[in-house]
Amino acid sequence: MSSTVEQIVSRPQIRETQCFIGGKWLPAASGKVFDTIHPATEEVIAQVAEGDKEDVDLAVEAARDQFDGGEWSRLNARERGRLMYQLADAIEAESEELAALETFDNGKPISDARGDISLVADCLHYYAGWADKIQGDTIPINGEYLCYTRREPVGVVGQIIPWNFPALMAAWKWGPALAAGCTIVMKPAEQTPLTCLRMARIAQNVGIPDGVINVIPGYGPTAGAAIVKHPGIDKIAFTGELATAKIIQREAAETMKRMTFELGGKSPNVVFADADLDVAAEGAHFALYFNQGQCCCAGSRLFVEEKVHDEFVDRLIEKNKGRRLGDPFDPQTEQGPQVDQAQFDKIMQYVDYGKQDGAQCVSGGQRFGDQGYFVEPTLFAGVSDDMRIARDEIFGPVLSVLKFNDVDELVRRANDTNFGLAAAVWTRDITKAHRFAAQVRAGTVWVNCYDVFDAAAPFGGFQQSGLGRELGEAGLAAYTESKTVTVSLG
Ligand code: NAI
Ligand code: MG
């Protein structure tokens, strides 16, 4: 063993466990708390305030006050940007602590958590730069008029996020909201509230005015639903499951809220025989197993050209054998546990479905170890398009390999889904690559790479993978309203 091998990271202290409303840390009005656990050991690590409607009401009041006439509404745009840069810098300065907290609450390996936190800071830096660059147009209309548009913040935004990238999803949602001048009521996922609460503390420390960011930990059907229904909230931004999004869409329709959704997928990842197979195998492995397979854009339908299929499957099996599962606080660990028992059970159910439907489980398929929600990296070969493991989002380390020969047929099969979040293609032939990128129905296409994200590049889904886009200028647009002003010059 080399002496440079990094030490196991120590467990962080948990400080913030209450609701954050108008700059105050408060218990839930009901007095209720819920447990949050460390998924690698199943131990309870903290009890967190279980927010509900009453707490949401207070948070909306605080957010409305700041938006409708408070300090935040009067701050000029450049100053808003400066505060955002300070927030990003402060998060960067506390990144080790935040990463450890993310690993503790979510179970993801510390090396991945560090990557997430650096993306958090990057996203906030990026949107800080937008704050003073949101501008309208002057429009030549008929008659003697001056006509111009103003882009104004949409208002108080309700943001509901999932547990797979807790801190990063908070940043994706805070970034454009703060840049645009909105105020926020956020509900983190009940599985992983801790990093979002810590980030709220950091925002308070750098001087973001009280009431601009409010955080209500709690459950979906209670705290989440209260946000969705609240008449004082102008927009909902949601990331999570399609079934939840449909409920939200119905509930939010009552008050005509603006809505953006980032939902799941069953993304096709296509390997042509002419690809650099070393790079493609590494990429296909990463595309699915990264983050324990808990990625909305996971490359979960792997189409491999028949000529190289068997060889490619062998390479994937080898990679799975070498994957290091274990203590997520160990910097050498590559795969941690799933987030909770429910996700673990769902995944094991799909492993059964795969077997029942006649696919061959050529790697993994079992629980790993005897504590924590670990699932072995699992590979199914001989998968056909209609099997449940080829159609449904599993959200775990289960990869389905499908064979193809004919390219036209491939595009039809790749598009035979109600989802449309991401897709990828591996080939040395640029014509094939661009043709596939044009024909596949997905919001993001990667060519000879996977999971390349950048705060400046829009991300979101076609079809039932979402509504609207996050990140980049497109992500900002969802947080502004356009106002047309016409002035008589007569
Ligand atoms: P979920 O959609 O229930 O949870 C996401 C967020 O929505 C959480 O904060 C939750 O508390 C909230 N929520 C739940 N019901 C709500 C309601 N009625 N009103 C308002 N907010 C509500 O997802 P869940 O149950 O955690 O995971 C189930 C499946 O969803 C996963 O197996 C995976 O397939 C998919 N998923 C997709 C994600 C993505 O990034 N696209 C993230 C998380 C889950
Ligand atoms: Mg749910």
Side-chain angles (χ1 to χ4, degrees):
M1 272 256 181
S2 123
S3 59
T4 56
V5 169
E6 266 190 274
Q7 301 284 306
I8 295 194
V9 169
S10 50
R11 292 166 166 225
Q13 263 190 15
I14 296 169
R15 297 197 190 87
E16 295 79 14
T17 58
Q18 293 187 304
C19 301
F20 183 60
I21 302 173
K24 296 199 178 67
W25 294 91
L26 301 170
S30 65
K32 284 198 212 165
V33 292
F34 65 98
D35 293 339
T36 189
I37 58 162
H38 180 43
T41 59
E42 304 170 45
E43 78 204 271
V44 175
I45 57 171
Q47 293 197 309
V48 177
E50 188 192 324
D52 202 333
K53 184 175 181 308
E54 252 182 272
D55 310 286
V56 168
D57 286 347
L58 289 174
V60 174
E61 203 180 304
R64 277 253 72 100
D65 283 352
Q66 276 295 357
F67 186 80
D68 292 333
E71 195 187 340
W72 186 246
S73 70
R74 293 190 299 270
L75 210 59
N76 68 50
R78 197 150 307 153
E79 189 59 28
R80 210 164 60 230
R82 217 168 62 87
L83 283 171
M84 291 182 67
Y85 280 119
Q86 286 170 0
L87 172 60
D89 288 346
I91 284 172
E92 216 156 43
E94 278 192 43
S95 56
E96 264 305 301
E97 185 75 11
L98 275 164
L101 199 55
E102 195 77 307
T103 290
F104 209 15
D105 211 9
N106 168 282
K108 66 174 65 195
I110 187 71
S111 56
D112 289 348
R114 286 172 175 154
D116 286 8
I117 303 301
S118 98
L119 291 173
V120 167
D122 191 60
C123 178
L124 293 169
H125 275 133
Y126 169 78
Y127 275 112
W130 268 113
D132 60 357
K133 296 167 193 71
I134 301 170
Q135 59 195 30
D137 301 307
T138 53
I139 301 168
I141 64 170
N142 286 336
E144 277 187 62
Y145 299 101
L146 166 63
C147 180
Y148 63 93
T149 55
R150 291 163 51 84
R151 284 177 64 197
E152 299 184 356
V154 70
V156 175
V157 298
Q159 304 184 319
I160 298 172
I161 56 172
W163 42 263
N164 53 344
F165 294 91
L168 188 57
M169 291 302 101
W172 282 25
K173 294 199 164 37
W174 289 6
L178 295 174
C182 298
T183 57
I184 295 167
V185 178
M186 172 165 277
K187 194 195 82 62
E190 56 273 26
Q191 295 86 348
T192 55
L194 299 179
T195 45
C196 176
L197 290 167
R198 176 67 55 84
M199 284 165 63
R201 169 82 77 190
I202 297 171
Q204 183 173 42
N205 289 344
V206 302
I208 296 200
D210 292 344
V212 173
I213 296 172
N214 303 276
V215 181
I216 306 292
Y219 291 98
T222 50
I227 290 173
V228 170
K229 289 182 199 155
H230 202 297
I233 288 182
D234 301 287
K235 170 193 160 65
I236 296 290
F238 172 81
T239 299
E241 185 179 14
L242 175 61
T244 313
K246 290 179 180 173
I247 296 172
I248 292 176
Q249 217 167 20
R250 281 193 292 269
E251 299 283 358
E254 196 58 44
T255 42
M256 205 53 161
K257 289 182 174 60
R258 283 80 185 107
M259 294 184 236
T260 46
F261 292 104
E262 203 271 274
L263 312 173
K266 194 71 188 178
S267 298
N269 186 17
V270 174
V271 177
F272 282 102
D274 66 7
D276 178 332
L277 294 185
D278 287 333
V279 178
E282 189 58 43
H285 176 86
F286 176 68
L288 190 283
Y289 297 109
F290 171 58
N291 208 42
Q292 295 64 246
Q294 301 169 146
C295 294
C296 51
C297 55
S300 50
R301 282 187 297 150
L302 180 63
F303 290 94
V304 181
E305 194 166 358
E306 186 153 19
K307 269 183 271 182
V308 295
H309 173 276
D310 293 356
E311 176 196 348
F312 202 79
V313 167
D314 287 342
R315 286 176 192 247
L316 292 172
I317 294 171
E318 278 313 301
K319 288 194 186 296
N320 284 1
K321 280 187 190 145
R323 191 157 176 82
R324 286 189 293 264
L325 276 71
D327 179 3
F329 282 107
D330 182 342
Q332 307 306 308
T333 294
E334 295 170 323
Q335 184 175 319
Q338 308 310 126
V339 78
D340 65 11
Q341 183 77 48
Q343 291 298 312
F344 176 89
D345 291 343
K346 175 182 173 187
I347 294 159
M348 297 315 282
Q349 174 78 75
Y350 272 96
V351 170
D352 278 348
Y353 287 159
K355 292 174 182 166
Q356 284 169 27
D357 291 351
Q360 293 100 50
C361 184
V362 293
S363 155
Q366 305 291 325
R367 178 178 189 178
F368 170 85
D370 54 13
Q371 71 166 2
Y373 310 114
F374 291 90
V375 179
E376 290 176 349
T378 299
L379 185 64
F380 277 100
V383 179
S384 58
D385 296 4
D386 54 344
M387 290 180 185
R388 285 169 282 187
I389 56 170
R391 302 211 67 84
D392 301 346
E393 181 175 54
I394 302 173
F395 229 62
V398 180
L399 178 53
S400 298
V401 186
L402 304 102
K403 240 183 241 180
F404 78 92
N405 255 323
D406 175 79
V407 179
D408 294 329
E409 177 77 352
L410 164 78
V411 170
R412 192 196 52 72
R413 294 171 66 193
N415 286 337
D416 179 20
T417 170
N418 290 328
F419 291 117
L421 192 58
V425 54
W426 303 80
T427 174
R428 288 191 168 98
D429 179 337
I430 58 166
T431 308
K432 260 190 225 167
H434 286 292
R435 188 179 298 147
F436 178 78
Q439 291 175 337
V440 72
R441 303 268 298 151
T444 290
V445 184
W446 288 295
V447 178
N448 294 328
C449 58
Y450 210 97
D451 274 347
V452 178
F453 279 91
D454 193 286
F459 181 75
F462 280 34
Q463 304 196 98
Q464 297 190 23
S465 284
L467 196 61
R469 293 291 177 269
E470 294 193 293
L471 304 182
E473 195 174 356
L476 191 60
Y479 286 87
T480 65
E481 291 276 16
S482 171
K483 179 185 280 175
T484 305
V485 181
T486 305
V487 184
S488 169
L489 301 177

